[in-house]
Amino acid sequence: VQLVESGGGSVEPGRSLTLSCVVYGSTTKDTCRGWFRQVAGNRREAVATIDGLGDTLYPNSVVQERFSISQDKNTIYLHIKNLQDDDTANYVCAADEPCTVLATTPVRFTFWGQGTQVTVSR
């Protein structure tokens, strides 16, 4: 399974952005997929995850206010609104298959993309 992200770039604060991740080589609908982000030197943190039934999980309600995950066949999307300076990070998508429990813990995910950089600046 390979994952390829796109959609990152330099964005002004307050703007919205949608990231995409295409999943190649998936052999089952029994999957969990997710978006994580990482700033150099910091731990990777979950943004949102989604399973094959479309159920979603966010690490907390604050994240859920501005981030939204969706999927269409083998593409995962992360919709971000009202971008803020501290949203600057490398956004990475991940997959776990077969998946038994939807989680936001990075160790539960087996396959990872390289990430797409989002930089929020004026």
Side-chain angles (χ1 to χ4, degrees):
V1 176
Q2 293 185 324
L3 302 100
V4 180
E5 304 93 336
S6 63
S10 182
V11 188
E12 293 180 347
R15 298 280 193 173
S16 297
L17 188 69
T18 296
L19 306 179
S20 300
C21 173
V22 179
V23 183
Y24 298 96
S26 180
T27 59
T28 176
K29 293 183 180 179
D30 188 15
T31 66
C32 292
R33 295 165 178 174
W35 283 97
F36 298 78
R37 67 183 185 181
Q38 187 170 22
V39 176
N42 291 356
R43 290 193 315 176
R44 184 172 287 171
E45 62 179 18
V47 179
T49 58
I50 187 168
D51 67 13
L53 296 177
D55 292 333
T56 59
L57 192 62
Y58 298 85
N60 56 65
S61 59
V62 174
V63 170
Q64 194 171 359
E65 289 177 0
R66 297 193 300 111
F67 293 82
S68 176
I69 189 171
S70 64
Q71 64 185 355
D72 179 15
K73 296 181 181 179
N74 283 327
T75 302
I76 319 162
Y77 301 97
L78 183 67
H79 312 278
I80 315 170
K81 59 182 181 181
N82 189 22
L83 277 155
Q84 301 174 5
D85 291 349
D86 58 6
D87 291 326
T88 294
N90 189 40
Y91 285 75
V92 186
C93 66
D96 181 37
E97 55 183 68
C99 177
T100 56
V101 178
L102 184 63
T104 57
T105 307
V107 295
R108 298 296 298 264
F109 290 80
T110 306
F111 306 101
W112 293 85
Q114 294 297 309
T116 183
Q117 178 68 30
V118 173
T119 301
V120 183
S121 64
R122 292 172 178 76

